[in-house]
Amino acid sequence: MKIPAVKGTRDFYPPQMAVRNYLVDGWKAVSLRNGFEEYDGPIFEHLKMYQIKSGEEIASQLFSFTDRGGRDMAIRPEITPTLARMVNQQINALPRPIKWFSVPRLCRAERPQKGRLREFFQWNIDIIDVEDVLADAEVIFTAIDYLRSTGLTAADIAVRISSRRMLAALLRSAGIEQDQLDGVYAVLDKKAKLPDEAFEAMLTERIGDETVRRRVAELMAAETIEAIENTAHLDAEGAAAVGELRRLFDLLSLMGIGEFAVFDIGVVRGLAYYTGVVFEVYDRAATLRAVCGGGRYDNLLRDFGGPAVTATGFGMGDAVLEILLREKGLLTDSTLSTRNVDCFVAIVADEFRDRAIELVFRVRRAGACAEFSYKAAGLKKQLKQAQALNARYTVIVGEEFSENRLTVKNMATGEQELMAVEQCIESLLA
Amino acid sequence: MKIPAVKGTRDFYPPQMAVRNYLVDGWKAVSLRNGFEEYDGPIFEHLKMYQIKSGEEIASQLFSFTDRGGRDMAIRPEITPTLARMVNQQINALPRPIKWFSVPRLCRAERPQKGRLREFFQWNIDIIDVEDVLADAEVIFTAIDYLRSTGLTAADIAVRISSRRMLAALLRSAGIEQDQLDGVYAVLDKKAKLPDEAFEAMLTERIGDETVRRRVAELMAAETIEAIENTAHLDAEGAAAVGELRRLFDLLSLMGIGEFAVFDIGVVRGLAYYTGVVFEVYDRAATLRAVCGGGRYDNLLRDFGGPAVTATGFGMGDAVLEILLREKGLLTDSTLSTRNVDCFVAIVADEFRDRAIELVFRVRRAGACAEFSYKAAGLKKQLKQAQALNARYTVIVGEEFSENRLTVKNMATGEQELMAVEQCIESLLA
């Protein structure tokens, strides 16, 4: 019986796994040097958790099921609700501020397409209980710090930044009611992703009044923070939001990543829970989906039954990132090794086989990687095997082994040397 | 709205995540030094994949669901079927023998109890296309190599070894029909896990004939390989299986782990797909479930629509392992750090705040971990924070900063030194 692979998911054969490990290891290292601690939750959660604040798009893409106890569950499509649940559970015991990261496996029942898969990995960074925009700057820095570590520069990518808080003030001044805001955000978030006509139709559906709609369109055409200050009727709340945004750009310069930062009022984010600064990282050519997106979500913990504690963070998926790195020539399969063989133990004749096996496993017990051929083969064939495994050395077990000596061949230089067994093991571990 | 945690699963707060990372990192390191390459598959697969060969117990514990395309899927309860599917898909392209490992997240709808969870992580090691019992010895070595690396000794654990191939020959000689074997294995596997009466009842249900049942009971009482050779009527196949088992024990001695190996005819394994050597690692006191179990499964690839290629491997879950390590005092929360802060940057007065922020992010860009206080606080309080974060150094930004100098305090020794900024960054990176 033949079983097909699962639609929209990936099989990670060793070369693909090496790519995934390269991305994940980089995420982890940058998280740690920026002072974040790792956490994780279960792969599935109660379905209703994703029906509260995840936004319509995610809620419509859940892999859900009913467990034996009759409970409705869903495979996690994002980890932020889990984060909110976990923090709320331990809110009185956890030292604050909380700086956490995670690299969850997530599933969404989307139509598979370039950069969008039904199963993917997403780096998440969050700072909880720091109201200061300094925390927003820090999460943006962390995203850029990682992307720079892969070799990407400000010529390749930019972080486009706006503020939901500012946008809310602007939309209210244009005549949008408070309870319409979430719906309007969802549509505005689609602007760059839809053909103009489709976007107009969606916007018209949400905003019936043509005057209001025209005012919103004018607002969304602002190209700089100055333009907003000059044209819009900002109330005190709006002015405070603009001030915060200015401070954010100053901080990013101070942190040494100013050249990556761009103001873009068109960045709205689809998720319902954002309340302040929002941002997305794009390739400068903007041919791909966002590499990374995030922002401030000050009400989520409260919405999940916890105290009113502020939060800010982002998510970066592996799919678009991998495409971008490959396009820029920063990721090639051949640069990533799937194994690290220190020595291949070649056996000259069958009488030495058990001695060779003994040696292989002695080397491994000592902490180095040794390989050998399961089948008897000529020395030439074994040297080829050693080469295929990319072994640093080949150790040849022959007549000299009775005198406790081995021939050691350096596979890079081709040099051969007769060595005592102990000396050989020591130099492999060095 | 309060959302409950998911029954039978774990929330990995940073201290628990540090434990998980400690286990997983160890598994990965030992896999690599034993020459295995990492792979992974998707978190869910087609349901029918687990209905073929996983055995009744696993098939009854699936978290299954129907996707939007009407396909029946299940969250993976084990990864071996995925391995078989992936290898079959690429059988002509993959260099053989294949030595792969994986650390999948798995889910089973079990009744949660000590060492058994609905979601867990399991280290898997497999060697494909090596018929020689040397491969079975190598996977057993790899399990023990890891367990030794945690500090466990032969006084703590043993690997109990038997052979399905030998057992099949013995059961046939006792009068069990070939097509009854799978059912009898499933019952015999329960012997140590059930009260005697419950076991007898299950066995009686499977083997109606009392004479046959008594013969089976006698066979299963054999304590040594010699006892089997002396008492049972071994056919040629049975004798070959016994010879293989003897060679396995010789190889384990050669590999330097002979003191861990014990023959135990009671080790049968629950899964239907085993065909040869089977083994389980237990704590010597046998108070816990098996830490690890595996064996040879020569027909699985063929059963999944591929060629007849042999295979052997094992799985080791994280739950029982963690309990064992804690019981032996080899794992204490305090030994595992959740972060690694190189320096805490303390700010003497608010006028230095932006300079301090600049420094923090400069250190991070250079690759070290720097932390600071989001809120203005006295120096004493900041030093306390530095201590709480376990920072190696505290760097104090004050008046001297205008001359490009900093006070650096070694948190272990308490020593303070005035340093140039460049020198400070260099020594943090060293």
Side-chain angles (χ1 to χ4, degrees):
Chain A
M1 143 156 242
K2 269 230 199 289
I3 305 276
V6 179
K7 189 182 170 189
T9 69
R10 290 168 289 181
D11 289 332
F12 293 90
Y13 287 87
Q16 290 86 46
M17 193 70 206
V19 171
R20 183 175 128 194
N21 280 339
Y22 167 72
L23 301 179
V24 171
D25 291 349
W27 286 342
K28 290 195 178 194
V30 169
S31 300
L32 291 172
R33 82 174 177 226
N34 281 281
F36 293 85
E37 296 176 281
E38 191 172 1
Y39 76 99
D40 191 12
I43 190 74
F44 57 87
E45 292 264 6
H46 290 274
L47 174 64
K48 62 185 166 192
M49 198 160 95
Y50 304 111
Q51 294 171 328
I52 307 176
K53 294 297 276 183
S54 288
E56 292 166 28
E57 191 168 354
I58 282 185
S60 72
Q61 295 170 341
L62 293 169
F63 286 107
S64 59
F65 59 94
T66 306
D67 79 359
R68 265 130 224 270
R71 289 170 290 254
D72 290 324
M73 314 298 289
I75 301 181
R76 62 187 178 192
E78 55 166 338
I79 202 166
T80 310
T82 299
L83 173 73
R85 175 179 67 70
M86 285 174 60
V87 170
N88 279 345
Q89 273 169 202
Q90 300 275 331
I91 192 71
N92 295 317
L94 293 167
R96 286 188 262 169
I98 291 164
K99 288 179 67 177
W100 281 3
F101 82 97
S102 192
V103 186
R105 181 193 283 264
L106 305 175
C107 295
R108 295 181 191 174
E110 302 197 75
R111 190 167 56 80
Q113 49 193 301
K114 188 179 178 188
R116 285 225 168 177
L117 296 162
R118 293 196 162 177
E119 182 188 49
F120 57 100
F121 293 83
Q122 190 187 61
W123 179 34
N124 279 255
I125 284 283
D126 291 277
I127 301 179
I128 289 168
D129 203 19
V130 180
E131 212 171 332
D132 194 330
V133 72
L134 177 52
D136 303 282
E138 189 176 13
V139 299
I140 292 172
F141 173 87
T142 305
I144 298 298
D145 193 27
Y146 167 74
L147 293 167
R148 268 163 54 133
S149 77
T150 66
L152 291 167
T153 68
D156 301 313
I157 51 162
V159 53
R160 300 196 202 157
I161 301 168
S162 185
S163 161
R164 275 266 183 103
R165 188 181 168 197
M166 181 190 78
L167 187 59
L170 293 173
L171 290 172
R172 278 192 307 263
S173 79
I176 303 285
E177 300 295 325
Q178 183 68 29
D179 61 0
Q180 284 183 283
L181 284 175
D182 281 358
V184 173
Y185 293 149
V187 177
L188 293 180
D189 179 60
K190 291 268 173 273
K191 190 169 193 303
K193 297 161 195 159
L194 288 178
D196 285 352
E197 270 179 43
F199 173 73
E200 287 302 330
M202 272 183 85
L203 195 63
T204 306
E205 200 181 308
R206 286 283 178 183
I207 309 174
D209 185 319
E210 208 198 312
T211 319
V212 174
R213 206 162 59 240
R214 209 181 49 242
R215 270 192 234 135
V216 169
E218 277 167 20
L219 285 174
M220 298 306 289
E223 292 193 344
T224 60
I225 299 181
E226 293 73 27
I228 287 167
E229 286 174 316
N230 295 337
T231 62
H233 300 279
L234 282 174
D235 56 12
E237 168 66 8
V242 169
E244 199 178 64
L245 212 45
R246 286 202 175 280
R247 172 71 180 151
L248 175 64
F249 280 93
D250 289 345
L251 283 167
L252 295 177
S253 293
L254 209 56
M255 292 173 176
I257 59 160
E259 55 180 346
F260 288 86
V262 174
F263 170 72
D264 183 351
I265 198 170
V267 170
V268 178
R269 306 291 296 143
L271 294 177
Y273 51 61
Y274 289 110
T275 56
V277 166
V278 282
F279 66 93
E280 289 175 345
V281 175
Y282 280 92
D283 59 308
R284 289 269 183 189
T287 56
L288 301 173
R289 288 166 191 283
V291 177
C292 158
R296 182 165 282 276
Y297 54 101
D298 283 345
N299 299 330
L300 191 64
L301 269 68
R302 195 199 56 203
D303 292 344
F304 276 83
V309 173
T310 66
T312 183
F314 71 78
M316 181 186 294
D318 64 336
V320 174
L321 174 63
E322 184 180 337
I323 295 169
L324 177 62
L325 293 180
R326 285 191 190 278
E327 282 187 1
K328 298 286 176 185
L330 296 170
L331 184 62
T332 50
D333 285 339
S334 60
T335 56
L336 299 172
S337 73
T338 59
R339 57 186 139 208
N340 191 10
V341 177
D342 296 300
C343 84
F344 187 91
V345 176
I347 308 162
V348 167
D350 223 42
E351 55 183 300
F352 304 112
R353 193 157 181 77
D354 278 4
R355 295 287 76 73
I357 291 174
E358 201 174 0
L359 179 66
V360 164
F361 289 85
R362 191 170 155 197
V363 169
R364 293 187 187 173
R365 285 203 315 273
C369 177
E371 269 298 0
F372 67 108
S373 174
Y374 293 103
K375 283 179 189 159
L379 188 58
K380 226 177 183 172
K381 200 171 169 193
Q382 290 182 72
L383 282 167
K384 262 196 170 167
Q385 256 184 290
Q387 231 158 5
L389 291 171
N390 222 347
R392 288 195 296 135
Y393 296 95
T394 298
V395 171
I396 301 162
V397 179
E399 295 293 351
E400 324 81 56
F401 198 78
S402 56
E403 296 148 25
N404 208 34
R405 295 203 296 175
L406 298 159
T407 304
V408 178
K409 184 185 168 94
N410 181 319
M411 298 298 283
T413 65
E415 278 170 52
Q416 284 194 194
E417 198 181 336
L418 205 62
M419 260 188 208
V421 173
E422 306 302 323
Q423 192 197 345
C424 166
I425 292 176
E426 259 174 50
S427 63
L428 284 172
L429 292 172
Chain B
M1 143 155 240
K2 270 229 198 289
I3 304 275
V6 179
K7 189 184 169 186
T9 69
R10 289 168 290 181
D11 289 332
F12 294 90
Y13 288 87
Q16 290 85 48
M17 193 70 205
V19 171
R20 185 174 126 193
N21 281 338
Y22 167 73
L23 301 180
V24 171
D25 292 348
W27 287 342
K28 290 195 177 193
V30 169
S31 300
L32 291 171
R33 83 173 177 227
N34 282 282
F36 294 84
E37 297 177 281
E38 192 172 1
Y39 76 97
D40 193 11
I43 190 76
F44 57 87
E45 294 265 6
H46 291 274
L47 174 64
K48 63 185 165 193
M49 197 160 97
Y50 304 111
Q51 293 171 328
I52 306 177
K53 294 298 276 184
S54 287
E56 292 167 28
E57 190 168 355
I58 283 186
S60 71
Q61 295 170 340
L62 294 169
F63 285 108
S64 59
F65 59 94
T66 306
D67 79 359
R68 266 130 223 270
R71 288 170 289 257
D72 290 324
M73 314 298 289
I75 301 181
R76 63 187 178 192
E78 55 165 339
I79 202 165
T80 309
T82 299
L83 172 73
R85 175 179 67 68
M86 285 175 60
V87 170
N88 278 345
Q89 273 169 203
Q90 300 275 332
I91 192 71
N92 295 318
L94 293 168
R96 285 188 264 169
I98 292 164
K99 289 179 66 176
W100 281 3
F101 82 96
S102 192
V103 186
R105 180 193 284 265
L106 305 175
C107 295
R108 296 181 190 173
E110 302 197 74
R111 190 166 56 80
Q113 49 193 300
K114 189 180 179 187
R116 286 224 165 178
L117 296 162
R118 293 196 162 176
E119 183 187 48
F120 57 100
F121 293 83
Q122 190 187 62
W123 179 33
N124 279 255
I125 285 282
D126 291 276
I127 300 178
I128 289 168
D129 202 20
V130 179
E131 211 171 333
D132 194 329
V133 72
L134 179 51
D136 303 283
E138 190 176 12
V139 299
I140 291 172
F141 174 86
T142 305
I144 299 298
D145 194 26
Y146 167 73
L147 293 168
R148 267 163 54 133
S149 78
T150 65
L152 290 167
T153 68
D156 300 313
I157 51 163
V159 53
R160 301 196 200 156
I161 302 168
S162 185
S163 162
R164 273 267 183 104
R165 188 180 167 199
M166 179 190 79
L167 187 59
L170 293 174
L171 291 173
R172 277 193 307 263
S173 78
I176 303 283
E177 300 295 325
Q178 182 70 27
D179 62 359
Q180 283 184 285
L181 284 174
D182 281 358
V184 172
Y185 294 148
V187 176
L188 293 180
D189 180 60
K190 290 270 173 273
K191 190 169 194 304
K193 298 160 194 158
L194 288 177
D196 285 353
E197 269 179 42
F199 172 73
E200 287 302 330
M202 275 182 83
L203 195 64
T204 305
E205 201 181 309
R206 286 283 178 185
I207 310 173
D209 185 319
E210 208 197 311
T211 318
V212 175
R213 207 162 60 238
R214 208 181 50 242
R215 271 192 233 132
V216 169
E218 277 166 23
L219 285 174
M220 299 305 288
E223 291 193 347
T224 60
I225 300 181
E226 292 74 27
I228 287 167
E229 287 175 317
N230 294 339
T231 61
H233 300 279
L234 283 174
D235 57 11
E237 168 67 8
V242 168
E244 198 179 64
L245 211 46
R246 286 202 176 280
R247 171 74 179 150
L248 175 65
F249 280 92
D250 288 346
L251 283 167
L252 295 177
S253 292
L254 209 55
M255 293 173 176
I257 59 160
E259 55 179 345
F260 288 87
V262 174
F263 170 72
D264 183 350
I265 198 171
V267 170
V268 178
R269 306 292 296 144
L271 294 176
Y273 50 61
Y274 290 109
T275 56
V277 166
V278 282
F279 65 93
E280 290 175 346
V281 175
Y282 280 92
D283 60 308
R284 289 269 183 190
T287 55
L288 301 173
R289 288 167 191 282
V291 176
C292 159
R296 183 165 280 277
Y297 54 102
D298 283 344
N299 300 330
L300 192 64
L301 270 69
R302 196 197 57 202
D303 291 343
F304 276 83
V309 173
T310 65
T312 183
F314 72 78
M316 181 186 296
D318 64 337
V320 174
L321 174 63
E322 184 181 337
I323 295 169
L324 176 62
L325 293 179
R326 285 191 191 277
E327 282 186 1
K328 297 287 177 187
L330 296 169
L331 184 62
T332 50
D333 286 337
S334 60
T335 56
L336 300 171
S337 73
T338 59
R339 58 187 138 207
N340 191 8
V341 178
D342 296 301
C343 84
F344 186 91
V345 176
I347 308 162
V348 166
D350 224 42
E351 53 182 302
F352 304 113
R353 191 156 182 79
D354 278 4
R355 295 288 74 73
I357 291 174
E358 203 174 358
L359 178 67
V360 164
F361 289 85
R362 191 168 156 199
V363 170
R364 291 187 189 174
R365 286 203 314 275
C369 178
E371 269 298 359
F372 67 109
S373 174
Y374 294 101
K375 283 180 190 158
L379 187 58
K380 224 176 183 173
K381 200 172 169 190
Q382 289 182 72
L383 282 167
K384 261 196 170 166
Q385 257 183 290
Q387 230 158 6
L389 291 171
N390 222 347
R392 287 196 296 136
Y393 296 96
T394 298
V395 172
I396 302 162
V397 179
E399 296 294 350
E400 324 82 55
F401 198 77
S402 55
E403 297 149 23
N404 207 33
R405 296 203 294 175
L406 298 159
T407 305
V408 178
K409 184 185 167 96
N410 181 319
M411 298 299 282
T413 65
E415 276 170 53
Q416 285 195 194
E417 200 181 335
L418 205 62
M419 262 189 205
V421 174
E422 306 303 323
Q423 191 196 345
C424 166
I425 291 176
E426 261 174 49
S427 63
L428 283 173
L429 292 172

